[in-house]
């Protein structure tokens, strides 16, 4: 067992940043931000400061940030047929998603399954833009507008979608675009003001903030989804319930750090490349998924013939290295990757995901090398024993 652990699972949840921890602790004693007294106004300031910092991360206006309990709630709020423009109702008659989206988008939110169209991805994980354009061209606007939702960067492969092109296609079709920027925010610059998306989905814990808080960021609040949670009118009526102040304050601090951290992406990409070089050196027949596409600097997703990802993940864990196999579900069980399947790679023996961050350095990379060497040596031993038994 390694003396210290190497945490290489940032896409599941990035470690809490010290500045986010401090902001969470400082906000624990805050009063109700809806109260008009001095204490309430101080609490309100914490929320508005965080709103400003999160808006800055994606170049939005602070008043265009709506806090939620995470990206999953943000997706469930946005992915609905029922929208409002002022007092008028607006209908979205069909949702278009990609096969490689996160389950919170792939599930279609509040759309009935029959009103969800899934667009395929190619072997590199890029959405089929022709198929999307074709589907949107066939959309009958008499029943309502088309709503398109797609991830900016994939949580398993790190593959980055051509969101600019997708936005053009959606705009030309008179549709509305929701971009799940959970994995891309803080790792790639995002500018919602430049027509990148109509609505963004963000999550605090992927950028070093606390879990259980996220946001919807809108380019314009003229048209908004019918709220998922109704009640006391918080968040301008878009999301009721007393705000999760410690979570929001921590999210704001993490967003501030993430904006500065965008400068570190080259160094992170070098570390990711070192990890991939180790994989190729120790397992020359390994396949790295999405390697031909533009990817997040921090992510690599690979399969090694003969090595079962779930078993290897346990061996890595015992060797002190935390990484993911396939995609980790909330229950902790690991299933076949729907992303790999969508990319046409079949189920196979699954794949391992290494996702890193600013704190990843030479020690973690060496721990990865030693653990992978152990996994491969055991596999070679098993194959040899199998052959001897058969002979
Ligand atoms: N979207 C993507 C791309 C994700 O990777 C995740 C989390 O893994 C989510 C959405 C859901 O985020 P949350 O945990 O905040 O609900």
């Amino acid at each position: 067992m390694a003396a210290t652990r190497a945490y290489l699972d940032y896409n599941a949840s990035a470690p809490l940043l010290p500045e986010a921890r401090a902001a969470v602790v400082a906000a624990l004693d805050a009063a109700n931000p809806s109260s008009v007294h001095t204490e309430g106004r101080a609490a309100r300031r914490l929320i508005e400061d965080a709103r400003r910092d999160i808006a800055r991360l994606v170049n939005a206006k602070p008043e265009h940030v709506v806090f939620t309990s995470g990206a999953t709630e943000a997706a469930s709020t946005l992915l609905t047929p029922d929208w409002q423009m002022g007092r008028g109702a607006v209908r979205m008659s069909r949702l278009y998603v990609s096969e490689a989206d996160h389950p919170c988008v792939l599930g279609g939110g509040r759309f009935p399954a029959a009103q969800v169209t899934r667009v395929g991805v190619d072997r590199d994980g890029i959405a089929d833009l022709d198929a999307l354009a074709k589907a949107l061209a066939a959309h009958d606007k008499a029943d309502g507008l088309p709503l398109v939702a797609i991830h900016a960067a994939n949580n398993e492969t790190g593959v980055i979608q051509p969101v600019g092109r997708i936005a053009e296609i959606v705009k030309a079709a008179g549709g509305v675009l929701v971009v799940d920027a959970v994995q891309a925010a803080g790792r790639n610059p995002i500018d919602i003001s430049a027509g990148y998306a109509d609505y963004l989905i963000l999550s605090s814990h992927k950028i070093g903030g606390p879990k259980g808080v996220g946001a919807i960021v809108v380019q314009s609040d003229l048209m908004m989804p019918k709220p998922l949670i109704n009640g006391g009118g918080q968040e301008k009526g878009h999301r009721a319930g007393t705000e999760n102040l410690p979570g929001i304050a921590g999210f704001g601090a993490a967003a501030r750090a993430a904006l500065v951290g965008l400068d570190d992406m080259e160094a992170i990409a070098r570390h990711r490349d070192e990890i991939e070089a180790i994989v190729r050196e120790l397992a020359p027949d390994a396949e790295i998924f999405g390697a031909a596409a533009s990817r997040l600097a921090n992510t690599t997703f690979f399969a090694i013939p003969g090595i079962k990802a779930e078993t290897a993940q346990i061996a890595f864990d015992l060797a002190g290295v935390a990484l993911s196999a396939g995609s980790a579900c909330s229950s902790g069980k690991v299933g076949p990757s729907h992303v790999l399947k969508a990319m046409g790679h079949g189920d196979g023996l699954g794949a391992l995901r290494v996702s890193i961050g600013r704190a990843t350095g030479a020690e973690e990379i060496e721990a990865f090398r030693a653990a992978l060497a152990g996994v491969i040596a055991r596999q070679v031993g098993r194959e040899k024993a199998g052959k001897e038994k058969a002979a």
Side-chain angles (χ1 to χ4, degrees), residues 176-190:
V176 173
L177 178 61
V178 171
V179 173
D180 170 1
V182 164
Q183 296 290 349
R187 296 184 181 139
N188 270 357
I190 292 177

Side-chain angles (χ1 to χ4, degrees), residues 15-33:
L16 188 68
L17 292 168
E19 47 272 61
R21 178 188 298 274
V24 168
V25 171
L28 283 171
D29 290 321
N32 189 326

Side-chain angles (χ1 to χ4, degrees), residues 158-169:
V159 167
I160 296 168
Q161 296 295 336
V163 176
R165 278 284 300 128
I166 292 169
E168 282 168 16
I169 291 168

Side-chain angles (χ1 to χ4, degrees), residues 33 90 102 122 127 139 174 178 205 217 220 231 235 264 272 298 306-307 313 352 362 377 390:
V90 179
H102 186 272
D122 66 15
H139 182 98
V178 171
H205 72 111
V217 183
S220 150
E235 296 298 281
D264 300 332
R272 192 268 317 272
N298 80 318
I307 289 188
Q313 182 195 19
L352 292 165

Side-chain angles (χ1 to χ4, degrees), residues 24-383:
V24 168
V25 171
L28 283 171
D29 290 321
N32 189 326
S34 296
S35 300
V36 293
H37 44 59
T38 304
E39 289 83 353
R41 292 201 309 277
R44 170 63 44 201
R45 267 196 302 281
L46 288 180
I47 292 187
E48 297 316 320
D49 287 352
R51 206 185 297 282
R52 180 203 60 212
D53 290 328
I54 290 150
R56 266 189 200 146
L57 183 62
V58 293
N59 202 21
K61 292 188 178 151
E63 62 269 30
H64 288 168
V65 175
V66 178
F67 288 113
T68 64
S69 68
T72 300
E73 185 196 316
S76 300
T77 304
L78 287 165
L79 306 187
T80 175
D82 300 313
W83 288 62
Q84 298 163 311
M85 196 187 282
R87 283 169 192 264
V90 179
R91 191 160 173 79
M92 308 281 169
S93 52
R94 181 161 285 278
L95 174 68
Y96 301 82
V97 300
S98 95
E99 294 275 8
D101 275 305
H102 186 272
C104 73
V105 170
L106 198 60
R110 291 185 272 169
F111 276 89
Q115 287 173 30
V116 180
T117 297
R118 291 182 176 185
V119 173
V121 298
D122 66 15
R123 272 189 86 76
D124 288 321
I126 304 288
D128 183 341
L129 301 193
D130 290 339
L132 176 65
K134 231 168 152 179
L136 292 178
H139 182 98
D140 181 2
K141 284 216 215 88
D143 294 335
L145 298 175
L147 180 65
V148 178
I150 187 137
H151 56 288
N154 191 270
N155 49 306
E156 293 189 11
T157 58
V159 167
I160 296 168
Q161 296 295 336
V163 176
R165 278 284 300 128
I166 292 169
E168 282 168 16
I169 291 168
V170 175
K171 202 169 169 196
V176 173
L177 178 61
V178 171
V179 173
D180 170 1
V182 164
Q183 296 290 349
R187 296 184 181 139
N188 270 357
I190 292 177
D191 184 353
I192 196 173
S193 75
Y196 180 86
D198 296 306
Y199 303 86
L200 287 179
I201 295 172
L202 302 178
S203 177
S204 156
H205 72 111
K206 310 291 182 176
I207 62 166
K211 289 153 202 57
V213 58
I216 293 169
V217 183
V218 311
Q219 199 183 36
S220 150
D221 56 2
L222 272 181
M223 193 169 75
M224 292 296 284
K226 230 173 158 189
L228 180 67
I229 299 175
N230 294 289
Q234 290 90 347
E235 296 298 281
K236 293 195 205 145
H238 300 307
R239 201 283 187 181
T242 301
E243 296 87 341
N244 167 11
L245 230 126
I248 290 171
F251 186 12
R256 222 170 24 248
L259 191 57
V260 177
L262 283 172
D263 296 338
D264 300 332
M265 284 305 137
E266 269 180 37
I268 290 177
R270 273 199 300 280
H271 285 144
R272 192 268 317 272
D273 293 347
E274 278 174 46
I275 289 167
E276 291 191 344
I278 291 169
V279 172
R280 290 195 167 105
E281 178 197 326
L282 298 181
D285 51 355
E287 183 169 9
I288 297 176
F289 300 107
S294 169
R295 282 182 301 159
L296 291 176
N298 80 318
T299 309
T300 182
F301 194 44
F302 60 90
I304 299 175
I307 289 188
K308 195 161 185 260
E310 287 172 42
T311 318
Q313 182 195 19
I314 296 166
F316 270 100
D317 193 36
L318 291 173
V321 178
L323 44 68
S324 274
S327 61
C329 308
S330 56
S331 57
K333 72 180 193 290
V334 175
S337 160
H338 75 281
V339 175
L340 282 187
K341 213 168 160 198
M343 290 163 72
H345 295 287
D347 291 341
L349 294 172
L352 292 165
R353 179 186 69 188
V354 174
S355 52
I356 60 175
R358 248 196 304 176
T360 310
E363 253 178 62
E364 284 80 10
I365 294 173
E366 271 320 299
F368 172 79
R369 173 193 283 280
L372 181 60
V375 165
I376 291 171
R378 272 192 296 279
Q379 175 62 19
V380 170
R382 267 195 299 273
E383 280 171 8

